[in-house]
PDB file of all heavy atoms in Angstrom:
ATOM      1  N   GLN A 338      91.496  92.170 104.440  1.00 98.00           N
ATOM      2  CA  GLN A 338      92.217  91.593 105.547  1.00 98.00           C
ATOM      3  C   GLN A 338      92.869  90.255 105.271  1.00 98.00           C
ATOM      4  O   GLN A 338      93.750  89.780 106.069  1.00 98.00           O
ATOM      5  CB  GLN A 338      91.334  91.623 106.841  1.00 98.00           C
ATOM      6  CG  GLN A 338      90.296  90.499 106.845  1.00 98.00           C
ATOM      7  CD  GLN A 338      89.060  90.729 105.914  1.00 98.00           C
ATOM      8  OE1 GLN A 338      88.993  91.675 105.192  1.00 98.00           O
ATOM      9  NE2 GLN A 338      88.153  89.787 105.919  1.00 98.00           N
ATOM     10  N   LYS A 339      92.365  89.615 104.231  1.00 98.00           N
ATOM     11  CA  LYS A 339      92.778  88.208 103.884  1.00 98.00           C
ATOM     12  C   LYS A 339      93.817  88.225 102.672  1.00 98.00           C
ATOM     13  O   LYS A 339      94.002  87.237 102.042  1.00 98.00           O
ATOM     14  CB  LYS A 339      91.614  87.309 103.498  1.00 98.00           C
ATOM     15  CG  LYS A 339      90.710  87.066 104.684  1.00 98.00           C
ATOM     16  CD  LYS A 339      90.951  85.667 105.231  1.00 98.00           C
ATOM     17  CE  LYS A 339      90.145  85.339 106.497  1.00 98.00           C
ATOM     18  NZ  LYS A 339      90.768  84.309 107.272  1.00 98.00           N
ATOM     19  N   VAL A 340      94.196  89.472 102.320  1.00 98.00           N
ATOM     20  CA  VAL A 340      95.088  89.551 101.116  1.00 98.00           C
ATOM     21  C   VAL A 340      96.450  89.912 101.702  1.00 98.00           C
ATOM     22  O   VAL A 340      96.691  90.771 102.477  1.00 98.00           O
ATOM     23  CB  VAL A 340      94.578  90.552 100.118  1.00 98.00           C
ATOM     24  CG1 VAL A 340      95.554  90.672  98.899  1.00 98.00           C
ATOM     25  CG2 VAL A 340      93.125  90.266  99.601  1.00 98.00           C
ATOM     26  N   VAL A 341      97.499  89.252 101.061  1.00 98.00           N
ATOM     27  CA  VAL A 341      98.884  89.340 101.605  1.00 98.00           C
ATOM     28  C   VAL A 341      99.922  89.144 100.478  1.00 98.00           C
ATOM     29  O   VAL A 341      99.555  88.654  99.342  1.00 98.00           O
ATOM     30  CB  VAL A 341      99.102  88.260 102.747  1.00 98.00           C
ATOM     31  CG1 VAL A 341      99.034  86.873 102.162  1.00 98.00           C
ATOM     32  CG2 VAL A 341     100.396  88.509 103.526  1.00 98.00           C
ATOM     33  N   GLY A 342     101.065  89.593 100.629  1.00 98.00           N
ATOM     34  CA  GLY A 342     102.185  89.380  99.678  1.00 98.00           C
ATOM     35  C   GLY A 342     103.040  88.164 100.004  1.00 98.00           C
ATOM     36  O   GLY A 342     103.278  87.960 101.261  1.00 98.00           O
ATOM     37  N   MET A 343     103.325  87.342  99.111  1.00 98.00           N
ATOM     38  CA  MET A 343     104.154  86.055  99.374  1.00 98.00           C
ATOM     39  C   MET A 343     105.191  86.065  98.263  1.00 98.00           C
ATOM     40  O   MET A 343     104.873  85.256  97.228  1.00 98.00           O
ATOM     41  CB  MET A 343     103.320  84.890  99.487  1.00 98.00           C
ATOM     42  CG  MET A 343     104.043  83.710 100.201  1.00 98.00           C
ATOM     43  SD  MET A 343     102.998  82.340 100.354  1.00 98.00           S
ATOM     44  CE  MET A 343     103.976  81.241 101.450  1.00 98.00           C
ATOM     45  N   HIS A 344     106.261  86.776  98.250  1.00 97.00           N
ATOM     46  CA  HIS A 344     107.177  86.931  97.193  1.00 97.00           C
ATOM     47  C   HIS A 344     108.325  85.931  97.227  1.00 97.00           C
ATOM     48  O   HIS A 344     109.170  86.005  98.073  1.00 97.00           O
ATOM     49  CB  HIS A 344     107.771  88.348  97.161  1.00 97.00           C
ATOM     50  CG  HIS A 344     108.752  88.613  96.101  1.00 97.00           C
ATOM     51  ND1 HIS A 344     109.871  89.437  96.205  1.00 97.00           N
ATOM     52  CD2 HIS A 344     108.801  88.096  94.821  1.00 97.00           C
ATOM     53  CE1 HIS A 344     110.520  89.415  95.185  1.00 97.00           C
ATOM     54  NE2 HIS A 344     109.966  88.628  94.248  1.00 97.00           N
ATOM     55  N   PHE A 345     108.216  84.886  96.376  1.00 97.00           N
ATOM     56  CA  PHE A 345     109.283  83.874  96.321  1.00 97.00           C
ATOM     57  C   PHE A 345     110.347  84.368  95.333  1.00 97.00           C
ATOM     58  O   PHE A 345     110.182  85.320  94.547  1.00 97.00           O
ATOM     59  CB  PHE A 345     108.655  82.529  95.685  1.00 97.00           C
ATOM     60  CG  PHE A 345     107.705  81.903  96.576  1.00 97.00           C
ATOM     61  CD1 PHE A 345     106.439  82.282  96.705  1.00 97.00           C
ATOM     62  CD2 PHE A 345     108.148  80.778  97.303  1.00 97.00           C
ATOM     63  CE1 PHE A 345     105.543  81.613  97.526  1.00 97.00           C
ATOM     64  CE2 PHE A 345     107.233  80.002  98.145  1.00 97.00           C
ATOM     65  CZ  PHE A 345     105.951  80.502  98.216  1.00 97.00           C
ATOM     66  N   PHE A 346     111.548  83.745  95.388  1.00 93.00           N
ATOM     67  CA  PHE A 346     112.632  84.148  94.571  1.00 93.00           C
ATOM     68  C   PHE A 346     112.946  83.038  93.588  1.00 93.00           C
ATOM     69  O   PHE A 346     112.835  81.856  94.009  1.00 93.00           O
ATOM     70  CB  PHE A 346     113.875  84.596  95.490  1.00 93.00           C
ATOM     71  CG  PHE A 346     113.702  85.948  96.040  1.00 93.00           C
ATOM     72  CD1 PHE A 346     112.710  86.183  97.129  1.00 93.00           C
ATOM     73  CD2 PHE A 346     114.276  87.117  95.568  1.00 93.00           C
ATOM     74  CE1 PHE A 346     112.474  87.395  97.680  1.00 93.00           C
ATOM     75  CE2 PHE A 346     114.015  88.305  96.047  1.00 93.00           C
ATOM     76  CZ  PHE A 346     113.127  88.509  97.153  1.00 93.00           C
ATOM     77  N   ASN A 347     113.537  83.362  92.488  1.00 87.00           N
ATOM     78  CA  ASN A 347     113.750  82.365  91.381  1.00 87.00           C
ATOM     79  C   ASN A 347     115.228  81.910  91.451  1.00 87.00           C
ATOM     80  O   ASN A 347     116.104  82.640  91.558  1.00 87.00           O
ATOM     81  CB  ASN A 347     113.568  83.154  90.001  1.00 87.00           C
ATOM     82  CG  ASN A 347     113.472  82.217  88.849  1.00 87.00           C
ATOM     83  OD1 ASN A 347     113.340  81.071  89.044  1.00 87.00           O
ATOM     84  ND2 ASN A 347     113.768  82.853  87.677  1.00 87.00           N
ATOM     85  N   PRO A 348     115.357  80.540  91.281  1.00 90.00           N
ATOM     86  CA  PRO A 348     114.493  79.443  91.101  1.00 90.00           C
ATOM     87  C   PRO A 348     113.877  79.039  92.422  1.00 90.00           C
ATOM     88  O   PRO A 348     114.498  78.894  93.372  1.00 90.00           O
ATOM     89  CB  PRO A 348     115.308  78.351  90.488  1.00 90.00           C
ATOM     90  CG  PRO A 348     116.692  78.686  90.935  1.00 90.00           C
ATOM     91  CD  PRO A 348     116.839  80.104  91.167  1.00 90.00           C
ATOM     92  N   VAL A 349     112.492  78.957  92.461  1.00 95.00           N
ATOM     93  CA  VAL A 349     111.741  78.749  93.616  1.00 95.00           C
ATOM     94  C   VAL A 349     112.219  77.426  94.458  1.00 95.00           C
ATOM     95  O   VAL A 349     112.388  77.521  95.681  1.00 95.00           O
ATOM     96  CB  VAL A 349     110.256  78.753  93.460  1.00 95.00           C
ATOM     97  CG1 VAL A 349     109.430  78.470  94.699  1.00 95.00           C
ATOM     98  CG2 VAL A 349     109.825  80.014  92.787  1.00 95.00           C
ATOM     99  N   PRO A 350     112.365  76.303  93.744  1.00 94.00           N
ATOM    100  CA  PRO A 350     112.751  75.146  94.508  1.00 94.00           C
ATOM    101  C   PRO A 350     114.140  75.273  95.286  1.00 94.00           C
ATOM    102  O   PRO A 350     114.406  74.494  96.228  1.00 94.00           O
ATOM    103  CB  PRO A 350     112.897  74.040  93.458  1.00 94.00           C
ATOM    104  CG  PRO A 350     111.988  74.473  92.349  1.00 94.00           C
ATOM    105  CD  PRO A 350     112.217  75.997  92.342  1.00 94.00           C
ATOM    106  N   VAL A 351     114.998  76.170  94.792  1.00 93.00           N
ATOM    107  CA  VAL A 351     116.375  76.322  95.354  1.00 93.00           C
ATOM    108  C   VAL A 351     116.466  77.489  96.368  1.00 93.00           C
ATOM    109  O   VAL A 351     117.040  77.329  97.431  1.00 93.00           O
ATOM    110  CB  VAL A 351     117.336  76.545  94.164  1.00 93.00           C
ATOM    111  CG1 VAL A 351     118.738  76.725  94.742  1.00 93.00           C
ATOM    112  CG2 VAL A 351     117.254  75.438  93.223  1.00 93.00           C
ATOM    113  N   MET A 352     115.894  78.594  96.033  1.00 95.00           N
ATOM    114  CA  MET A 352     116.026  79.780  96.851  1.00 95.00           C
ATOM    115  C   MET A 352     115.226  79.715  98.125  1.00 95.00           C
ATOM    116  O   MET A 352     114.043  79.436  98.101  1.00 95.00           O
ATOM    117  CB  MET A 352     115.685  81.027  95.952  1.00 95.00           C
ATOM    118  CG  MET A 352     116.522  81.296  94.849  1.00 95.00           C
ATOM    119  SD  MET A 352     118.232  81.696  95.229  1.00 95.00           S
ATOM    120  CE  MET A 352     118.021  83.534  95.447  1.00 95.00           C
ATOM    121  N   LYS A 353     115.884  80.023  99.257  1.00 97.00           N
ATOM    122  CA  LYS A 353     115.240  79.868 100.601  1.00 97.00           C
ATOM    123  C   LYS A 353     114.349  81.035 100.972  1.00 97.00           C
ATOM    124  O   LYS A 353     113.512  80.911 101.825  1.00 97.00           O
ATOM    125  CB  LYS A 353     116.448  79.661 101.636  1.00 97.00           C
ATOM    126  CG  LYS A 353     116.992  78.302 101.738  1.00 97.00           C
ATOM    127  CD  LYS A 353     116.063  77.336 102.364  1.00 97.00           C
ATOM    128  CE  LYS A 353     116.667  76.023 102.557  1.00 97.00           C
ATOM    129  NZ  LYS A 353     115.588  74.995 102.918  1.00 97.00           N
ATOM    130  N   LEU A 354     114.522  82.162 100.350  1.00 97.00           N
ATOM    131  CA  LEU A 354     113.862  83.349 100.825  1.00 97.00           C
ATOM    132  C   LEU A 354     112.455  83.481 100.279  1.00 97.00           C
ATOM    133  O   LEU A 354     112.156  83.238  99.199  1.00 97.00           O
ATOM    134  CB  LEU A 354     114.635  84.637 100.442  1.00 97.00           C
ATOM    135  CG  LEU A 354     114.052  85.974 100.820  1.00 97.00           C
ATOM    136  CD1 LEU A 354     114.025  86.227 102.294  1.00 97.00           C
ATOM    137  CD2 LEU A 354     114.804  87.153 100.120  1.00 97.00           C
ATOM    138  N   VAL A 355     111.557  83.967 101.217  1.00 98.00           N
ATOM    139  CA  VAL A 355     110.225  84.463 100.837  1.00 98.00           C
ATOM    140  C   VAL A 355     109.964  85.714 101.614  1.00 98.00           C
ATOM    141  O   VAL A 355     110.165  85.795 102.835  1.00 98.00           O
ATOM    142  CB  VAL A 355     109.117  83.465 101.124  1.00 98.00           C
ATOM    143  CG1 VAL A 355     107.719  84.069 100.912  1.00 98.00           C
ATOM    144  CG2 VAL A 355     109.230  82.112 100.379  1.00 98.00           C
ATOM    145  N   GLU A 356     109.600  86.776 100.846  1.00 98.00           N
ATOM    146  CA  GLU A 356     109.219  88.035 101.561  1.00 98.00           C
ATOM    147  C   GLU A 356     107.779  87.949 101.774  1.00 98.00           C
ATOM    148  O   GLU A 356     106.974  87.703 100.884  1.00 98.00           O
ATOM    149  CB  GLU A 356     109.520  89.216 100.620  1.00 98.00           C
ATOM    150  CG  GLU A 356     110.942  89.679 100.594  1.00 98.00           C
ATOM    151  CD  GLU A 356     111.141  90.931  99.630  1.00 98.00           C
ATOM    152  OE1 GLU A 356     110.608  90.853  98.445  1.00 98.00           O
ATOM    153  OE2 GLU A 356     111.701  91.846 100.051  1.00 98.00           O
ATOM    154  N   VAL A 357     107.325  88.035 103.047  1.00 98.00           N
ATOM    155  CA  VAL A 357     105.839  88.075 103.386  1.00 98.00           C
ATOM    156  C   VAL A 357     105.514  89.586 103.569  1.00 98.00           C
ATOM    157  O   VAL A 357     105.979  90.209 104.473  1.00 98.00           O
ATOM    158  CB  VAL A 357     105.548  87.201 104.509  1.00 98.00           C
ATOM    159  CG1 VAL A 357     104.111  87.282 104.982  1.00 98.00           C
ATOM    160  CG2 VAL A 357     105.893  85.731 104.229  1.00 98.00           C
ATOM    161  N   ILE A 358     104.600  90.090 102.714  1.00 98.00           N
ATOM    162  CA  ILE A 358     104.319  91.524 102.734  1.00 98.00           C
ATOM    163  C   ILE A 358     102.998  91.843 103.329  1.00 98.00           C
ATOM    164  O   ILE A 358     101.914  91.285 102.854  1.00 98.00           O
ATOM    165  CB  ILE A 358     104.525  92.085 101.339  1.00 98.00           C
ATOM    166  CG1 ILE A 358     105.902  91.826 100.771  1.00 98.00           C
ATOM    167  CG2 ILE A 358     104.198  93.569 101.279  1.00 98.00           C
ATOM    168  CD1 ILE A 358     105.879  90.740  99.760  1.00 98.00           C
ATOM    169  N   LYS A 359     102.968  92.750 104.237  1.00 98.00           N
ATOM    170  CA  LYS A 359     101.726  93.138 104.972  1.00 98.00           C
ATOM    171  C   LYS A 359     101.109  94.506 104.153  1.00 98.00           C
ATOM    172  O   LYS A 359     101.825  95.477 104.096  1.00 98.00           O
ATOM    173  CB  LYS A 359     101.998  93.540 106.424  1.00 98.00           C
ATOM    174  CG  LYS A 359     100.823  93.757 107.238  1.00 98.00           C
ATOM    175  CD  LYS A 359     101.330  93.967 108.666  1.00 98.00           C
ATOM    176  CE  LYS A 359     100.097  94.009 109.674  1.00 98.00           C
ATOM    177  NZ  LYS A 359      99.263  95.116 109.447  1.00 98.00           N
ATOM    178  N   GLY A 360      99.976  94.275 103.549  1.00 97.00           N
ATOM    179  CA  GLY A 360      99.316  95.489 102.985  1.00 97.00           C
ATOM    180  C   GLY A 360      98.613  96.310 104.019  1.00 97.00           C
ATOM    181  O   GLY A 360      98.721  95.962 105.237  1.00 97.00           O
ATOM    182  N   PHE A 361      98.057  97.386 103.649  1.00 97.00           N
ATOM    183  CA  PHE A 361      97.450  98.316 104.594  1.00 97.00           C
ATOM    184  C   PHE A 361      96.388  97.614 105.479  1.00 97.00           C
ATOM    185  O   PHE A 361      96.284  97.906 106.660  1.00 97.00           O
ATOM    186  CB  PHE A 361      96.808  99.527 103.860  1.00 97.00           C
ATOM    187  CG  PHE A 361      96.381 100.682 104.741  1.00 97.00           C
ATOM    188  CD1 PHE A 361      97.298 101.543 105.304  1.00 97.00           C
ATOM    189  CD2 PHE A 361      95.058 100.773 105.152  1.00 97.00           C
ATOM    190  CE1 PHE A 361      96.915 102.631 106.157  1.00 97.00           C
ATOM    191  CE2 PHE A 361      94.597 101.808 106.000  1.00 97.00           C
ATOM    192  CZ  PHE A 361      95.554 102.680 106.453  1.00 97.00           C
ATOM    193  N   ASP A 362      95.601  96.749 104.914  1.00 97.00           N
ATOM    194  CA  ASP A 362      94.517  96.133 105.670  1.00 97.00           C
ATOM    195  C   ASP A 362      94.700  94.667 106.048  1.00 97.00           C
ATOM    196  O   ASP A 362      93.887  94.038 106.508  1.00 97.00           O
ATOM    197  CB  ASP A 362      93.206  96.224 104.840  1.00 97.00           C
ATOM    198  CG  ASP A 362      92.622  97.656 104.672  1.00 97.00           C
ATOM    199  OD1 ASP A 362      92.639  98.256 105.715  1.00 97.00           O
ATOM    200  OD2 ASP A 362      92.293  98.100 103.605  1.00 97.00           O
ATOM    201  N   THR A 363      95.960  94.107 105.705  1.00 98.00           N
ATOM    202  CA  THR A 363      96.241  92.815 106.008  1.00 98.00           C
ATOM    203  C   THR A 363      96.083  92.484 107.465  1.00 98.00           C
ATOM    204  O   THR A 363      96.752  93.135 108.327  1.00 98.00           O
ATOM    205  CB  THR A 363      97.676  92.351 105.538  1.00 98.00           C
ATOM    206  OG1 THR A 363      97.740  92.643 104.145  1.00 98.00           O
ATOM    207  CG2 THR A 363      97.869  90.830 105.688  1.00 98.00           C
ATOM    208  N   ALA A 364      95.261  91.452 107.848  1.00 98.00           N
ATOM    209  CA  ALA A 364      95.146  91.079 109.254  1.00 98.00           C
ATOM    210  C   ALA A 364      96.400  90.445 109.878  1.00 98.00           C
ATOM    211  O   ALA A 364      97.058  89.784 109.052  1.00 98.00           O
ATOM    212  CB  ALA A 364      93.873  90.263 109.442  1.00 98.00           C
TER     213      ALA A 364
END
Side-chain angles (χ1 to χ4, degrees):
Q338 74 284 1
K339 293 256 177 205
V340 182
V341 67
M343 195 178 191
H344 178 216
F345 291 79
F346 286 73
N347 191 23
V349 178
V351 178
M352 298 292 273
K353 281 288 186 194
L354 179 65
V355 173
E356 284 182 306
V357 177
I358 302 106
K359 192 175 188 294
F361 189 78
D362 290 314
T363 307

